[in-house]
C-alpha cells in the first residue's frame, strides 16, 4: 500500500479558567468555563469510533469505550503527562502547520477536512514518574480490522507494521527509551487474537504483565457489610476529604501505588503529597468527572486504615462507574477490610449515584486476593489484556 502519510492532531485550544484567568474574565464566567471542552473535530470522532469499535468487539461490552470529549481533554495535557495522537492517512499529504515533531497537523477541534484514515497512534508520556517511558496504543481503521478468528490481509499487515514502526520512532523523538503497549482480546482467547500481537513480537516487545477486565453489577439493595467494632465508615465525594484525614489518605494512596501488582513492567510508584492531591482534584473538576472515596477509620485514633475509590466521567455512559483503587494499611491487612469496603462502596453508589448499574475494574491475572474478592461480588470476566514492553536501542 503506497502514499501513506503520518499526521499529528494539533493540541486543542481551551478557554482560560480560574487557574489561569485573564483580567477581563470574571470569576463567574471562569466557573462556567470550568469543565468546558471545545467541539471535537471529525478526525477525533473517527479515531474514537475506531478505538471504541475494537474495544467493544474484544470485550463484547458497549461500555468499553471513551468519548470524543474525554480524548480532547487528554490532548490538553497536564503536569503529570502529555498525550499525542497521530493518524496514518492515504493519498495526498495534508497541508498545514508542522508540529514540533516535524509532522503536518490536523485539527482536534472544530472544522477538519476529510482524510482517508487507515490507522491511528495514541502516545502518552509521563512527566513525574517513569520519565523514560512512552505508553503507545495502536488502532486500525475498520476497513482493515479483521473479524474475530480471521487472518489479516496483506494491506492490513502492512498498515499495522507501519504504525508500530512510527510509534517507536515517535517515542525516540520524544526522548523515551522504554516503550509500553497493550493487547486486548476476549476472555476466552489468547494474546494472539489482538491484530498487533505479531508485530509487537517482530519489533522485539515481550509480555511483562497480564490483567483481566471484569464487570460487577450494582444490586438494587446491596448486601449489608458488617463493619468491625471500633471502625467507622466515611464517604468522600470528589476528594472532599476533611483535613484531619488528608495525610492518612495521601499515605495510603502512595502505598496503593507501591504495592500494586504490575508483573515485570518497568514502573515507578506514585509518591503522593498534598499538592498532588489538589492537582488531581483540579483535573477532576476541569474534565467534569467525579469520584467517590469510601474509607474505614479507626475511631480511637482517627487513623484511616483502608480506602477504595470509584470514578465516573460526565461524557461517558451514566450507568457505568470504574473501580480505580483499593488499599489497606499494611499493618491492618488479612482482616477482610477490602471485602467489606467493596460492599460499603456498592451501598454508597446506590445512594450517591443511583443511575449507576455496573462497575468495571482491571485486576492482575495473578492477584489471587483481589480476584477472590471480586468473585464474591458476582464479577464476570469480559476480556483480558497484556502489557508489552520494549527497551529502545
Amino acid at each position: 500500500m503506497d502514499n501513506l502519510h503520518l499526521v499529528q492532531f494539533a493540541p486543542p485550544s481551551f478557554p482560560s479558567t480560574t487557574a489561569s484567568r485573564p483580567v477581563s474574565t470574571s470569576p463567574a464566567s471562569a466557573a462556567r468555563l470550568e469543565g468546558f471542552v471545545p467541539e471535537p473535530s471529525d478526525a477525533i470522532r473517527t479515531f474514537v469510533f475506531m478505538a471504541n469499535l475494537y474495544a467493544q468487539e474484544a470485550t463484547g461490552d458497549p461500555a468499553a469505550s471513551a468519548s470524543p470529549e474525554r480524548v480532547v481533554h487528554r490532548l490538553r495535557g497536564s503536569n503529570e503527562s502529555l498525550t499525542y495522537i497521530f493518524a496514518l492517512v492515504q493519498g495526498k499529504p495534508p497541508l498545514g502547520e508542522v508540529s514540533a515533531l516535524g509532522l503536518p497537523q490536523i485539527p482536534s477541534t472544530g472544522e477538519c477536512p476529510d482524510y482517508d484514515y487507515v490507522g491511528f497512534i495514541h502516545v502518552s508520556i509521563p512527566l513525574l514518574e517513569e520519565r523514560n517511558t512512552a505508553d503507545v496504543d495502536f488502532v486500525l481503521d475498520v476497513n482493515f480490522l479483521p473479524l474475530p478468528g480471521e487472518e489479516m490481509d496483506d494491506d492490513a499487515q502492512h498498515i499495522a507494521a507501519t504504525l508500530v514502526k512510527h510509534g517507536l520512532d515517535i517515542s525516540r523523538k520524544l526522548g523515551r527509551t522504554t516503550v509500553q503497549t497493550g493487547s486486548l482480546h476476549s476472555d476466552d482467547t489468547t494474546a494472539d487474537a489482538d491484530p498487533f500481537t505479531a508485530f509487537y513480537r517482530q519489533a522485539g516487545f515481550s509480555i511483562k504483565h497480564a490483567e483481566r477486565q471484569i464487570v460487577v453489577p450494582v444490586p438494587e439493595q446491596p448486601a449489608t457489610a458488617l463493619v468491625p467494632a471500633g471502625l467507622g465508615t466515611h464517604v468522600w465525594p470528589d476528594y472532599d476529604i476533611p483535613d484531619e484525614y488528608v495525610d492518612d489518605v495521601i499515605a495510603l494512596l502512595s502505598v496503593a501505588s507501591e504495592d500494586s501488582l504490575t508483573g515485570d513492567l518497568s514502573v515507578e510508584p506514585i509518591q503522593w503529597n498534598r499538592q498532588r492531591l489538589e492537582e488531581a482534584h483540579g483535573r477532576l473538576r476541569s474534565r467534569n468527572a467525579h469520584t467517590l472515596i469510601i474509607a474505614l477509620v479507626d475511631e480511637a485514633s482517627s487513623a484511616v486504615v483502608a480506602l477504595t475509590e470509584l470514578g465516573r466521567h460526565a461524557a461517558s455512559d451514566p450507568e457505568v462507574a470504574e473501580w480505580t483503587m483499593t488499599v489497606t494499611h499494611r499493618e491492618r491487612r488479612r482482616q477482610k477490610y477490602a471485602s467489606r469496603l467493596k460492599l460499603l462502596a456498592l451501598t454508597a453508589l446506590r445512594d450517591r449515584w443511583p443511575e449507576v448499574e455496573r462497575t468495571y475494574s482491571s485486576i492482575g491475572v495473578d492477584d489471587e486476593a483481589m480476584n477472590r474478592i471480586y468473585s464474591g461480588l458476582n464479577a464476570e470476566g469480559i476480556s483480558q489484556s497484556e502489557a508489552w514492553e520494549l527497551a529502545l536501542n
Side-chain angles (χ1 to χ4, degrees), residues 34-333:
E34 194 165 277
F36 171 81
V37 178
E39 182 67 21
S41 68
D42 286 344
I44 283 287
R45 293 187 182 279
T46 300
F47 161 70
V48 171
F49 174 80
M50 299 304 172
N52 288 346
L53 178 67
Y54 180 68
Q56 291 169 12
E57 285 192 352
T59 63
D61 194 314
S65 60
S67 68
E69 293 78 10
R70 188 173 175 184
V71 171
V72 167
H73 203 285
R74 286 176 180 168
L75 272 174
R76 187 183 189 184
S78 71
N79 66 314
E80 282 199 337
S81 66
L82 295 177
T83 294
Y84 305 85
I85 301 177
F86 307 86
L88 194 61
V89 299
Q90 186 176 20
K92 293 182 178 180
L95 300 176
E97 294 186 15
V98 176
S99 72
L101 294 173
L103 297 171
Q105 296 187 113
I106 60 175
S108 59
T109 58
E111 296 294 325
C112 181
D114 289 331
Y115 297 109
D116 186 6
Y117 303 102
V118 299
F120 299 88
I121 306 171
H122 181 283
V123 180
S124 178
I125 57 170
L127 299 178
L128 300 181
E129 292 86 20
E130 299 165 26
R131 287 179 288 181
N132 292 320
T133 299
D135 296 313
V136 187
D137 291 307
F138 303 96
V139 176
L140 280 174
D141 180 85
V142 64
N143 292 317
F144 303 98
L145 185 65
L147 293 173
E150 287 190 355
E151 297 292 329
M152 298 176 71
D153 63 28
D154 290 344
D155 284 345
Q157 291 187 49
H158 177 68
I159 292 167
T162 302
L163 287 170
V164 172
K165 178 182 180 300
H166 280 309
L168 299 184
D169 291 342
I170 291 165
S171 300
R172 290 189 182 94
K173 289 181 179 180
L174 293 172
R176 301 291 157 141
T177 57
T178 299
V179 182
Q180 294 174 349
T181 189
S183 51
L184 180 68
H185 51 95
S186 62
D187 209 28
D188 57 354
T189 58
T190 67
D192 290 320
D194 187 290
F196 284 96
T197 291
F199 305 98
Y200 296 156
R201 290 197 176 102
Q202 288 177 15
F205 283 91
S206 57
I207 295 175
K208 299 292 186 178
H209 184 51
E211 291 186 336
R212 299 174 61 227
Q213 287 71 50
I214 60 169
V215 57
V216 177
V218 182
E220 283 294 329
Q221 295 185 340
T224 301
L226 298 178
V227 179
L231 296 181
T233 305
H234 297 257
V235 179
W236 299 318
D238 297 340
Y239 296 129
D240 185 19
I241 305 167
D243 190 71
E244 63 186 292
Y245 300 120
V246 168
D247 289 337
D248 282 353
V249 170
I250 288 170
L252 281 176
L253 290 174
S254 295
V255 168
S257 180
E258 292 166 1
D259 292 358
S260 62
L261 299 181
T262 54
D264 296 323
L265 276 174
S266 300
V267 296
E268 297 176 11
I270 298 172
Q271 297 302 320
W272 286 85
N273 52 40
R274 284 182 174 252
Q275 178 182 344
R276 193 155 190 172
L277 187 66
E278 180 56 36
E279 289 170 348
H281 191 186
R283 288 192 299 276
L284 197 73
R285 293 193 305 267
S286 69
R287 66 177 187 262
N288 200 17
H290 298 281
T291 187
L292 281 180
I293 291 179
I294 297 85
L296 287 178
V297 177
D298 188 309
E299 294 178 328
S301 63
S302 294
V304 182
V305 298
L307 297 172
T308 193
E309 182 185 53
L310 289 139
R312 62 189 302 203
H313 300 269
S316 299
D317 188 335
E319 295 184 355
V320 167
E322 302 172 48
W323 299 92
T324 54
M325 176 270 301
T326 301
V327 61
T328 301
H329 193 288
R330 288 172 180 144
E331 296 181 0
R332 307 291 290 265
R333 292 178 180 174

